[in-house]
Amino acid sequence: QVQPVESGGGLVQAGGSLRLSCEASGATFSDYPMGWFRQAPGREREFVAGINWSGLNTAYATSVKGRFTISRDNAKTTVYLQMDTLTREDTAVYYCARHRYAILTQRPDNYDLWGPGTQVTVSS
């Protein structure tokens, strides 16, 4: 049960794009749904996007729908979060996590393995 590791965060100008990657071990990845969360200073951890094993079932927070796209490559045991049209409100630490069971949900308590996070900062 190795925790996933996020990468791809950094500083980007408002209106720009960034792609986050979440790499996990095969045992961690397996058949589990995966999700992205974020937490900004002074705010609670927020669900951003989730994807089931097949990649056909996805879910997005209203605040990012239409701008962010989650995808996964099971062969590479990697989940991606493509973030477009970024705004300063997207500034946060982004976390990748594994869902506890096969049915995708948006509750943080239903995710068991969490990455250390990657910082995304959007300047304006």
Side-chain angles (χ1 to χ4, degrees), residues 57-92:
N57 184 20
T58 59
Y60 296 93
T62 301
S63 60
V64 307
K65 188 175 299 183
R67 298 188 299 117
F68 290 10
T69 303
I70 187 171
S71 62
R72 67 190 295 165
D73 187 329
N74 290 343
K76 296 181 179 180
T77 63
T78 301
V79 180
Y80 305 96
L81 184 67
Q82 178 67 43
M83 304 183 295
D84 298 321
T85 320
L86 286 163
T87 73
R88 60 186 177 87
E89 295 182 355
D90 296 316
T91 295

Side-chain angles (χ1 to χ4, degrees):
Q1 295 183 340
V2 179
Q3 69 175 4
V5 179
E6 305 92 342
S7 63
L11 177 64
V12 64
Q13 190 174 10
S17 299
L18 207 61
R19 188 181 76 161
L20 305 183
S21 298
C22 171
E23 185 177 356
S25 69
T28 299
F29 201 82
S30 188
D31 297 332
Y32 298 93
M34 301 291 291
W36 286 96
F37 292 78
R38 67 185 181 186
Q39 187 165 25
R43 298 183 180 180
E44 296 182 353
R45 187 164 296 185
E46 174 190 20
F47 174 83
V48 177
I51 187 168
N52 74 340
W53 178 84
S54 69
L56 298 178
N57 184 20
T58 59
Y60 296 93
T62 301
S63 60
V64 307
K65 188 175 299 183
R67 298 188 299 117
F68 290 10
T69 303
I70 187 171
S71 62
R72 67 190 295 165
D73 187 329
N74 290 343
K76 296 181 179 180
T77 63
T78 301
V79 180
Y80 305 96
L81 184 67
Q82 178 67 43
M83 304 183 295
D84 298 321
T85 320
L86 286 163
T87 73
R88 60 186 177 87
E89 295 182 355
D90 296 316
T91 295
V93 177
Y94 283 72
Y95 300 90
C96 176
R98 185 188 74 175
H99 200 273
R100 290 179 181 268
Y101 52 93
I103 301 175
L104 176 64
T105 70
Q106 302 181 27
R107 292 178 55 87
D109 290 345
N110 288 335
Y111 294 78
D112 56 1
L113 293 179
W114 294 77
T118 184
Q119 176 71 49
V120 173
T121 303
V122 183
S123 63
S124 61

